[in-house]
Amino acid sequence: MSATSELRFPEGFVWGAATAAYQIEGAVHDDGRGPSIWDTFSRTPGKVFQGHTGDVACDHYHRYADDVALMAELGLGAYRFSVAWPRIQPDGTGPVNPRGLDFYDRLTDALLDRGVDPIVTLYHWDLPQALQDRGGWTNRDTAEHLADYAVAVHNRLGDRIRTWTTLNEPWCSAYLGYGNGVHAPGERDAGAAFAAVHHLLLGHGLAARALRAAGAPTLGITLNPADVQPADPASAADVAAARLVDGLHNRIFLDPLTGAGYPDDVLAHLGRLVEPTFIRDGDEKLIAAPIDLLGVNYYAPTYVAGRPDAAGGGGAYPGTEGVVEFLPPTGPLTDMGWMIEATGLTRLLERIARDYPGLPMLITENGGAFPDKPGADGPDGLGQVMDTDRIAYLDGHLRAAHQAIARGVDLRGYLVWSLLDNFEWAEGYRKRFGIVHVDYLTQRRTPKSSARWYQEVISRNGL
Ligand code: FCB
């Protein structure tokens, strides 16, 4: 397929953009919001680049109306945002804070007024600090609390929002939050990481069940499934390494979510590192609450080799030392240092469709960080960002997604990460993923060339 050939997406294909509460909202003390683990973590010296925090971020909490107008101007059909749990239940449990819900009420109405379909993520990493003080995701009770919180949000917005997703990337919450400590709450313990995996999945199952009972029409979860490839497909050691990483990253989530329970090889691996007493009888059944949609976030492939002297993946892949070498990325890289390989997206979508059939998918995140700067040459005098590298990245990945559809994958839509430049977790504001540039001093938004390009893609339903 030539990079210039014309492609049309199926009728009704959803085009949109995604963000997350802590990354854009700011207003961390407004209207009774309680502290989250990211407030604590970002204030802990040495955790986030130059001590950046989400205190102000893109000030979206106050500028949401303009941001929604911009979405409409770009022609977005859908907008994926997350609800900040600490705005709804400042202490993580108990009474609901109506002023926190008011914000999402206003946002939802603004979106619907402009014809943009809201897609909710209930949990995009900003756990109320009060719950972390009781163990966070290592505590089984957090799973129950997530379900209560989900119902509280649904009670207010369920009459207007159709698509509900529970968690964003539980792999990151568990392994980066509790395994290697790169994300909040910054713990480094394999046992904690695996307990967190299980309690996140359990929380998803309980929340999905509760939302279904409350009448939510479309339910899902977003994962960041990895396209794991052996460095040498002819090497048994490399294939075994890929299988182990696939187990720890993909099957540990997808198998129980789709009713197969935890895979035996993953349980055996985990059992060598921890006593999995946190998995109780009946849990796997709860986790398997039926879902209608799988959200897939894809950025880059993962290449591994099997070597006895391998460094392993540290706390992000507990127990892989001496088995798995994670190969350094090659070729053109994004500003995150991530490899650019669009064919990985086709492989990943086809693999999920093959191994977990009957589950419609939505690309809930895809995009690239590039070191773009506004020039002085914008036609409006505001300064334009000519992000041709981002356009090339998005174009390549949309072609890859289209190829998966052509091969029979049930892919319903594509949401670019991200609408706005924003707080990129441990990297702070130094990495820019937006199709819209944000000047953090003035909060001025300037659509980059990629935004105008995407607008055109949407209007043509293709490339
Ligand atoms: C994903 C996160 C999202 C963003 C992108 C770059 O892992 O879900 O919030 O940070 O990476």
Side-chain angles (χ1 to χ4, degrees):
M1 182 178 11
S2 101
T4 51
S5 61
E6 273 214 19
L7 292 182
R8 284 279 170 283
F9 282 77
E11 212 181 305
F13 192 78
V14 174
W15 296 101
T19 64
Y22 190 74
Q23 296 181 274
I24 64 164
E25 286 179 359
V28 292
H29 301 298
D30 282 42
D31 298 329
R33 178 187 179 276
S36 81
I37 55 174
W38 271 96
D39 296 286
T40 308
F41 190 74
S42 63
R43 280 176 174 64
T44 308
K47 298 298 185 189
V48 174
F49 176 73
Q50 288 186 357
H52 293 175
T53 73
D55 285 5
V56 179
C58 307
D59 195 32
H60 172 75
Y61 193 81
H62 301 115
R63 294 166 194 264
Y64 74 93
D66 290 345
D67 290 340
V68 171
L70 186 53
M71 293 177 214
E73 184 193 320
L74 295 177
L76 302 191
Y79 173 56
R80 171 181 183 248
F81 63 92
S82 78
V83 174
W85 188 347
R87 291 197 192 280
I88 311 308
Q89 289 174 299
D91 294 322
T93 59
V96 166
N97 170 32
R99 289 185 298 159
L101 280 167
D102 288 346
F103 169 68
Y104 299 103
D105 206 302
R106 293 192 294 273
L107 173 62
T108 299
D109 283 345
L111 290 164
L112 292 172
D113 278 353
R114 300 273 190 164
V116 183
D117 192 32
I119 297 178
V120 164
T121 304
L122 286 162
Y123 182 71
H124 200 127
W125 306 354
D126 44 358
L127 188 73
Q129 181 60 41
L131 292 183
Q132 183 55 38
D133 296 342
R134 288 180 254 155
W137 289 110
T138 67
N139 183 341
R140 187 179 174 90
D141 294 345
T142 302
E144 309 264 353
H145 298 322
L146 179 79
D148 293 344
Y149 152 68
V151 169
V153 180
H154 187 272
N155 282 343
R156 177 69 87 87
L157 303 177
D159 58 335
R160 281 156 290 158
I161 293 184
R162 294 181 302 160
T163 308
W164 294 77
T165 63
T166 53
L167 308 175
N168 175 70
E169 300 190 2
W171 181 86
C172 292
S173 298
Y175 293 101
L176 305 185
Y178 296 85
N180 74 1
V182 167
H183 281 183
E187 287 186 22
R188 292 184 194 159
D189 178 78
F194 286 125
V197 166
H198 183 66
H199 295 142
L200 282 153
L201 282 169
L202 185 63
H204 156 80
L206 295 172
R209 207 163 282 253
L211 290 167
R212 181 78 72 193
T218 305
L219 278 177
I221 182 171
T222 283
L223 303 178
N224 60 326
D227 168 52
V228 190
Q229 297 299 326
D232 174 4
S235 149
D238 292 3
V239 171
R243 177 85 182 153
L244 174 57
V245 172
D246 179 59
L248 289 172
H249 198 124
N250 296 327
R251 291 179 292 118
I252 198 172
F253 295 105
L254 283 162
D255 284 22
L257 283 169
T258 54
Y262 288 112
D264 290 340
D265 63 315
V266 173
L267 284 179
H269 177 84
L270 190 152
R272 284 193 284 274
L273 302 165
V274 299
E275 186 75 53
T277 49
F278 43 81
I279 306 176
R280 298 193 192 159
D281 280 355
D283 284 359
E284 283 157 304
K285 203 161 165 251
L286 293 171
I287 294 168
I291 51 173
D292 313 298
L293 193 66
L294 177 68
V296 173
N297 293 353
Y298 173 82
Y299 291 93
T302 306
Y303 282 90
V304 297
R307 284 183 200 141
D309 61 343
Y317 293 95
T320 54
E321 311 75 34
V323 190
V324 183
E325 194 64 51
F326 287 81
L327 301 190
T330 56
L333 307 180
T334 71
D335 199 29
M336 296 293 279
W338 296 347
M339 193 164 161
I340 302 177
E341 192 170 277
T343 49
L345 176 59
T346 316
R347 282 194 300 259
L348 181 65
L349 294 171
E350 286 194 270
R351 183 275 170 106
I352 297 172
R354 187 182 63 239
D355 290 354
Y356 306 94
L359 197 52
M361 287 183 266
L362 175 68
I363 295 175
T364 36
E365 288 182 26
N366 173 249
F370 294 98
D372 32 44
K373 290 204 175 55
D377 54 350
D380 49 8
L382 292 180
Q384 208 175 33
V385 183
M386 300 287 290
D387 54 342
T388 45
D389 33 16
R390 183 171 292 102
I391 293 175
Y393 181 100
L394 298 176
D395 180 90
H397 286 77
L398 282 175
R399 286 174 195 279
H402 190 277
Q403 176 135 51
I405 296 170
R407 293 183 184 163
V409 172
D410 184 1
L411 179 68
R412 302 289 172 91
Y414 177 93
L415 311 178
V416 68
W417 185 270
S418 182
L419 178 72
L420 305 171
D421 290 336
N422 61 48
F423 175 80
E424 178 45 38
W425 308 114
E427 300 292 341
Y429 296 97
R430 75 166 150 169
K431 305 294 181 191
R432 293 180 176 271
F433 273 94
I435 57 171
V436 174
H437 180 270
V438 176
D439 177 335
Y440 294 112
L441 292 177
T442 61
Q443 290 295 345
R444 172 181 280 165
R445 275 76 162 139
T446 307
K448 304 176 190 177
S449 302
S450 58
R452 297 304 175 199
W453 171 87
Y454 193 46
Q455 180 173 15
E456 186 69 29
V457 170
I458 296 171
S459 76
R460 284 201 263 161
N461 195 33
L463 298 159

